[in-house]
Amino acid sequence: MFFQTLFKKQKSIENEKSASEKFLVIINELLNKELPEHQSHHHILFTANVKLDTLKNLLNEHRKRCQFEHKVGQYHMEMYDQIRKQTSDLQGLIDCYTELHIDMAHMNHRLLFYYDKIDFLYDNYLNLLDGKFLSESNPLFWQAIKEDTLEVVRNIL
């Protein structure tokens, strides 16, 4: 009996991740996709702020050149709209990233109503890592998961 308990294999107990932990994994991955030039985990906010400054400068340049009577002016208006959306999306990801790092328990409470959606997103993310999706569909997958994630971010922040 002693030897049986001594050599008995310990069962690996998997702790279920909370909604905020799952959401943080997804947001980390999205930020890594948005900011491929960052050096390490600690520099991600610095790199994001540098990119935000660059995007804001581009916004100002395109805003100055918007004129509806010229095709080039209309191009600047379209670029302004695209960059403004990109800036807003990046700012939302950064805000949620910092909120999740500041107080995970509070964010877990705020994410309670979105648990099913976060669980679905996280499950699809794990399926992508396991290779269950085609590699050609990766850009479309990341765009879809980004839009769903930003919808939750905009509702909780």
Side-chain angles (χ1 to χ4, degrees), residues 30-40 44 47 51:
L30 286 172
L31 281 174
N32 287 332
K33 297 285 183 197
E34 290 285 319
L35 307 165
E37 64 271 1
H38 79 280
Q39 299 297 321
S40 69
I44 198 162
T47 307
K51 185 167 183 176

Side-chain angles (χ1 to χ4, degrees), residues 109-132:
H109 177 69
R110 292 168 74 181
L111 292 170
L112 186 62
F113 293 114
Y114 302 99
Y115 182 77
D116 291 337
K117 188 171 195 168
I118 292 169
D119 194 45
F120 179 74
L121 293 173
Y122 187 73
D123 186 45
N124 279 291
Y125 168 72
L126 292 178
N127 286 334
L128 179 76
L129 292 181
D130 290 342
K132 294 182 180 177

Side-chain angles (χ1 to χ4, degrees), residues 86-155:
Q86 187 178 2
T87 304
S88 173
D89 292 350
L90 184 59
Q91 186 65 52
L93 289 174
I94 293 168
D95 290 345
C96 192
Y97 177 84
T98 55
E99 284 288 325
L100 283 167
H101 274 69
I102 291 172
D103 191 4
M104 184 137 339
H106 180 68
M107 284 298 285
N108 199 30
H109 177 69
R110 292 168 74 181
L111 292 170
L112 186 62
F113 293 114
Y114 302 99
Y115 182 77
D116 291 337
K117 188 171 195 168
I118 292 169
D119 194 45
F120 179 74
L121 293 173
Y122 187 73
D123 186 45
N124 279 291
Y125 168 72
L126 292 178
N127 286 334
L128 179 76
L129 292 181
D130 290 342
K132 294 182 180 177
F133 301 137
L134 292 175
S135 62
E136 294 85 22
S137 66
N138 281 352
L140 293 173
F141 173 80
W142 287 114
Q143 183 62 32
I145 204 165
K146 178 181 171 185
E147 290 173 11
D148 286 341
T149 301
L150 286 170
E151 180 183 330
V152 173
V153 167
R154 288 184 181 114
N155 287 333

Side-chain angles (χ1 to χ4, degrees), residues 64-95:
K64 290 177 190 175
R65 291 175 171 73
C66 290
Q67 293 181 355
F68 290 110
E69 58 269 1
H70 303 290
K71 293 288 183 185
V72 175
Q74 292 173 5
Y75 158 78
H76 286 292
M77 186 62 185
E78 290 174 14
M79 289 305 298
Y80 175 78
D81 290 339
Q82 287 179 3
I83 294 171
R84 188 173 46 124
K85 182 182 181 325
Q86 187 178 2
T87 304
S88 173
D89 292 350
L90 184 59
Q91 186 65 52
L93 289 174
I94 293 168
D95 290 345

